[in-house]
Amino acid sequence: MSFPARKYIYSEPYGIALIVGPWNFPINLVFAPLAGAIAAGNCVVIKPSEHAPATARAIASLLPKYIDSECYPVYLGGVEETSELLKQKFDYIFFTGSPSIGKLVHQAASQNLTPVTLELGGKSPVYIDNTANLKLAAKRIMWGKTQNCGQICVAPDYVLCSKEVQDKFLKYAQAALHQFYGDNVRENGDFGRIINQHHFHRLTGLLRDQKVAIGGPSDPKDHFVHPTIVTDVHPDDAIMQEEIFGPILPIVTVESYEEAINFINQREKPLALYVFTGCKKVKKAFLRETSSGAVLINDVLMHSVADGLPFGGVGNSGIGAYHGKHTFDTFSHKKAVMERGTSMLIDKIDSIRYPPYNNTKTKLLKTVFRINRTLPVKYVPHLIMFSLGVAVTCGAYYLNKYIQNEVD
């Protein structure tokens, strides 16, 4: 319809963005979006988490030494300061944190119709069936559950499996924990601690009245919670009502993958879904019949560091995605641009769109729109060049044949 014309997408910065970072990865989850925002041409107000105060102060003191503090100011403080920032009119807001706070950020952004990316969390389920490599599955799951003491938004939150698989999994999980941390987890420097007293007591409260199969010890003075697996968990238990965000792994038994899919679909959409199976039918079923920010088959966490993959949630687990080029795209408005010529020939071609209208023009317009829908216009130049190539080749062949006949 617009032929001939040049069409393209122009990436422009939104303007002034706000990045609110979390405490669990207080450097990476501030600077990863910041890099993309800068690359896209935005100015950025940076708000590190008050729950990692030493890191926040370090960012505030070091960043102005490297980039312009007028374009990239850092604001410290807690809830009051963050609330005041959210009252301001930004062109884009990027928030990483819990779904409950994410809703407040979204509500504040809506007052100015400000677009947002919300990197939230949720209960990321793990399904394991009897076709999986259970020893490897246990090793990878327990690694993912104990990294950063389980304080990761995509940490495995709970396991769905049969009673038979559960019994084997527990044995391999115990062996994996011993391999990672030895006989004394508390004294092992590779195992972290819970961020503060509030979250420590929240986690120990979740263990109340639960059947502990592995682990259990804790120490409030040291914010230490031993890697713990609980069994005989009921879906209505408190531990299944909120994201755990700690080194505690409940197991809920199911009889089939269909039951596991139904269990997942009855809850909020997770940030990640982990499926351990050797069955193609099961893999396809989880991909087709569930919705989540990401699906990882036969591993955990690794999708979040894979080049080229977007990272983000869906529904309650977040809005939008980033990482790599996707971060640049997140902080860029994709502006549609079209350039058209002004020659009389082009205007003659365009004449069918101008009144007065008649049946002939209507038929022509219908034909053009039908071609627009069926013919991918971006391939037209390739088709033309291919046709010219075929024509030149055929012409050269017959010309050469003619010359040879003349010589003979």
Side-chain angles (χ1 to χ4, degrees):
M1 188 63 195
S2 59
F3 181 83
R6 178 178 175 232
K7 295 174 285 185
Y8 58 95
I9 295 172
Y10 184 89
S11 297
E12 66 176 10
Y14 277 103
I16 301 176
L18 170 65
I19 294 177
V20 181
W23 52 261
N24 60 330
F25 290 96
I27 292 179
N28 180 56
L29 297 184
V30 165
F31 282 89
L34 177 60
I38 293 173
N42 298 276
C43 289
V44 184
V45 173
I46 301 151
K47 173 59 180 67
S49 172
E50 68 275 17
H51 296 298
T55 306
R57 288 193 298 269
I59 292 172
S61 64
L62 291 173
L63 199 61
K65 296 180 180 180
Y66 301 96
I67 58 177
D68 188 344
S69 60
E70 290 190 7
C71 289
Y72 308 102
V74 179
Y75 284 86
L76 301 180
V79 174
E80 185 179 346
E81 288 76 12
T82 304
S83 299
E84 191 60 36
L85 281 172
L86 289 171
K87 292 178 183 178
Q88 311 308 310
K89 181 174 173 56
F90 288 96
D91 299 299
Y92 202 92
I93 295 176
F94 188 103
F95 170 81
T96 305
S98 67
S100 59
I101 305 301
K103 291 176 182 178
L104 297 177
V105 173
H106 193 278
Q107 185 178 25
S110 68
Q111 300 305 308
N112 294 306
L113 295 180
T114 301
V116 297
T117 290
L118 301 177
E119 292 297 333
L120 310 178
K123 298 183 73 62
S124 296
V126 182
Y127 173 73
I128 315 171
D129 69 14
N130 57 10
T131 67
N133 182 332
L134 292 180
K135 183 177 181 180
L136 183 60
K139 186 176 183 180
R140 290 177 173 177
I141 292 167
M142 296 315 297
W143 169 79
K145 191 60 179 174
T146 57
Q147 290 299 292
N148 206 28
C149 205
Q151 298 166 117
I152 303 176
C153 58
V154 286
D157 195 273
Y158 64 94
V159 170
L160 297 169
C161 65
S162 67
K163 184 69 168 62
E164 176 192 3
V165 169
Q166 172 187 284
D167 294 340
K168 294 177 182 178
F169 175 80
L170 289 172
K171 179 181 68 173
Y172 289 127
Q174 182 73 72
L177 287 173
H178 187 270
Q179 178 187 344
F180 295 158
Y181 305 113
D183 295 324
N184 192 335
V185 178
R186 182 173 177 177
E187 298 302 321
N188 191 298
D190 291 329
F191 187 74
R193 295 296 185 267
I194 302 305
I195 184 70
N196 55 35
Q197 281 285 325
H198 168 74
H199 284 287
F200 172 85
H201 290 298
R202 180 184 60 81
L203 289 170
T204 53
L206 292 177
L207 287 174
R208 198 173 295 122
D209 300 326
Q210 292 295 328
K211 181 181 178 181
V212 175
I214 293 175
S218 61
D219 183 355
K221 295 180 181 178
D222 194 27
H223 296 178
F224 169 75
V225 175
H226 193 285
T228 301
I229 299 178
V230 295
T231 57
D232 296 344
V233 176
H234 191 274
D236 294 331
D237 290 347
I239 201 169
M240 293 301 296
Q241 303 309 309
E242 60 179 78
E243 184 179 6
I244 294 171
F245 225 66
I248 302 170
L249 185 66
I251 299 179
V252 178
T253 55
V254 293
E255 296 302 320
S256 65
Y257 74 87
E258 292 96 343
E259 186 180 343
I261 288 173
N262 185 55
F263 187 94
I264 293 166
N265 288 340
Q266 289 177 345
R267 287 152 180 81
E268 297 284 6
K269 296 179 180 181
L271 185 55
L273 169 60
Y274 304 117
V275 181
F276 286 82
T277 182
C279 177
K280 290 184 178 180
K281 180 181 178 181
V282 173
K283 296 176 191 176
K284 289 181 179 179
F286 275 92
L287 288 174
R288 285 196 313 263
E289 299 171 28
T290 64
S291 178
S292 58
V295 175
L296 187 51
I297 297 170
N298 293 323
D299 208 344
V300 298
L301 305 191
M302 296 303 292
H303 67 288
S304 64
V305 293
D307 287 343
L309 287 180
F311 181 85
V314 59
N316 196 66
S317 59
I319 298 172
Y322 73 123
H323 280 195
K325 172 63 163 52
H326 301 286
T327 314
F328 174 88
D329 292 337
T330 287
F331 285 98
S332 300
H333 166 59
K334 302 300 182 183
K335 183 162 60 179
V337 181
M338 178 186 286
E339 292 184 30
R340 302 208 66 205
T342 57
S343 71
M344 294 306 296
L345 175 61
I346 293 174
D347 192 57
K348 189 69 177 176
I349 295 172
D350 278 353
S351 63
I352 61 169
R353 68 175 176 165
Y354 301 129
Y357 301 113
N358 53 44
N359 288 337
T360 302
K361 283 188 175 183
T362 301
K363 289 178 182 178
L364 279 171
L365 282 169
K366 285 182 177 180
T367 301
V368 170
F369 278 120
R370 194 177 302 117
I371 292 172
N372 263 11
R373 290 194 299 269
T374 58
L375 181 64
V377 179
K378 68 177 181 179
Y379 297 122
V380 170
H382 302 284
L383 183 61
I384 293 172
M385 293 304 295
F386 176 76
S387 301
L388 286 173
V390 171
V392 169
T393 302
C394 292
Y397 171 79
Y398 287 111
L399 179 62
N400 183 58
K401 193 172 182 180
Y402 172 78
I403 293 172
Q404 284 184 348
N405 290 335
E406 288 294 317
V407 171
D408 293 341

